[in-house]
Amino acid sequence: MIIVTPETLLLWRKNCFKKFWKAISTRKKSGRPRIPWDTIKLIRRIAKENSIWGATKLHGLLMKLGFDLCERTVSKYIPKRSPDPKRRLSWKNFYNLHSDCIVVKDFFSVYSVNFQEIYRVLFYMQLSTRRILHYDIQTHPTTSWVRRVLKLSIRKAIQSDLTIKFVISDNDSLFGKRITRFLGKVKIKHKKTSIRSPWQNGYAERFVKTCKEEFLGYFIPMNQYHLETKLDEFIQFYNNHRTHIALYKETPIPSVIQKPPDSKL
């Protein structure tokens, strides 16, 4: 047995994490083989010459030219285009006008101490207050589990007198048509962001960054129960004590300003 500082332990985990990802990246991959470089250059040239076309139309054109490719391959090699300023403005206006009745959701992943398990954390955040309504952890998430967590989040929002009209999510397969139909039954619109547009769900992405920088960067989960216990503590702190500039330095759940004790000379 040796005694080390917490900083040394975190450094060891960081180095193990690098080795873990290096082993994954160098592992022989299955699936479709890589396409020739000449084909990649052709895809990029056609995309540049037809800047208003998406992956679907470009894929159809390549099929007419005799290339046997799938649409996802074409989408992968299209040069990234800067978002349309008008579209960005429309999303910003949408958030500003409906922030009181918008809930955003997203996943983030946490690795176990031995990197054998991946804990997927699903959270729901009310936009105007930045309050985390509910979260849950699962190693193998399913659509049924996502729907169950969504029900609990809606119930907690109703208990807090919050109105939900829109739920924002990315294009994860777990947020598919079944979730959209379920939300439609309770008169809530499910709006998905565009592919490769994380800025459209920036508030959820910002919480993920905050959680990683202020909590996960200093914590090594031993198991799922350990992660749940400490994540409960962090979200309790986030909702009740962490101030936000967007809320004029208020907390998501408003708290009373403490008066300093009377000083006695």
Side-chain angles (χ1 to χ4, degrees):
M1 181 181 292
I2 58 174
I3 299 176
V4 296
T5 62
E7 290 79 9
T8 302
L9 187 62
L10 291 172
L11 180 61
W12 287 351
R13 177 172 172 81
K14 185 177 180 180
N15 292 335
C16 289
F17 194 72
K18 289 180 180 179
K19 294 178 181 178
F20 171 72
W21 273 109
K22 184 178 180 180
I24 291 179
S25 61
T26 56
R27 188 183 303 167
K28 185 177 180 181
K29 297 181 179 180
S30 59
R32 286 177 172 265
R34 292 180 61 87
I35 64 175
W37 175 242
D38 291 338
T39 307
I40 296 175
K41 290 194 292 184
L42 177 63
I43 292 173
R44 292 175 176 174
R45 182 168 67 84
I46 293 177
K48 185 177 180 181
E49 294 173 353
N50 301 273
S51 58
I52 63 174
W53 283 10
T56 304
K57 287 189 175 181
L58 293 173
H59 177 243
L61 178 58
L62 288 165
M63 288 178 63
K64 292 295 183 182
L65 295 175
F67 289 92
D68 184 17
L69 302 170
C70 69
E71 186 176 331
R72 290 193 107 181
T73 301
V74 177
S75 177
K76 176 181 178 181
Y77 292 109
I78 291 177
K80 187 176 180 181
R81 296 165 180 166
S82 57
D84 185 359
K86 292 182 179 180
R87 192 173 185 183
R88 183 182 287 271
L89 182 62
S90 65
W91 265 93
K92 185 177 181 181
N93 289 336
F94 170 74
Y95 276 126
N96 291 336
L97 292 172
H98 302 283
S99 61
D100 291 338
C101 54
I102 291 179
V103 169
V104 298
K105 61 179 178 177
D106 203 356
F107 276 107
F108 64 89
S109 301
V110 183
Y111 288 85
S112 62
V113 63
N114 56 1
F115 301 106
Q116 296 297 317
E117 291 184 332
I118 303 176
Y119 305 120
R120 299 293 304 279
V121 182
L122 172 63
F123 66 90
Y124 290 83
M125 180 172 68
Q126 207 277 335
L127 186 58
S128 62
T129 62
R130 304 298 195 274
R131 177 183 176 183
I132 303 301
L133 297 174
H134 187 63
Y135 84 93
D136 206 343
I137 303 173
Q138 183 64 261
T139 52
H140 299 90
T142 61
T143 304
S144 300
W145 172 76
V146 171
R147 185 171 54 184
R148 185 167 62 252
V149 178
L150 179 56
K151 285 181 180 179
L152 292 173
S153 301
I154 294 174
R155 188 180 304 167
K156 290 192 175 184
I158 293 173
Q159 292 173 354
S160 304
D161 295 327
L162 298 175
T163 303
I164 303 177
K165 292 184 180 179
F166 302 95
V167 172
I168 310 297
S169 71
D170 57 19
N171 287 269
D172 195 304
S173 59
L174 293 172
F175 305 143
K177 294 181 180 180
R178 291 178 60 187
I179 300 299
T180 304
R181 286 196 298 266
F182 168 74
L183 289 171
K185 292 178 181 179
V186 293
K187 298 181 180 180
I188 297 176
K189 293 183 179 180
H190 185 198
K191 295 185 71 67
K192 293 186 177 183
T193 61
S194 302
I195 297 175
R196 297 182 182 177
S197 300
W199 58 271
Q200 294 181 355
N201 199 16
Y203 298 99
E205 298 287 348
R206 187 62 181 86
F207 171 74
V208 174
K209 181 181 178 182
T210 299
C211 193
K212 290 182 177 180
E213 289 183 347
E214 300 184 9
F215 168 56
L216 296 175
Y218 305 93
F219 170 70
I220 301 175
M222 304 303 296
N223 49 47
Q224 184 170 332
Y225 174 76
H226 188 206
L227 176 61
E228 288 177 357
T229 303
K230 296 305 178 182
L231 192 55
D232 273 337
E233 294 179 6
F234 176 76
I235 290 181
Q236 178 74 11
F237 163 76
Y238 183 90
N239 283 338
N240 294 277
H241 303 289
R242 189 182 185 279
T243 58
H244 293 256
I245 297 176
L247 303 178
Y248 302 101
K249 300 182 181 179
E250 182 58 276
T251 54
I253 299 177
S255 56
V256 180
I257 299 176
Q258 302 293 326
K259 294 183 179 179
D262 296 332
S263 59
K264 295 182 181 181
L265 299 177

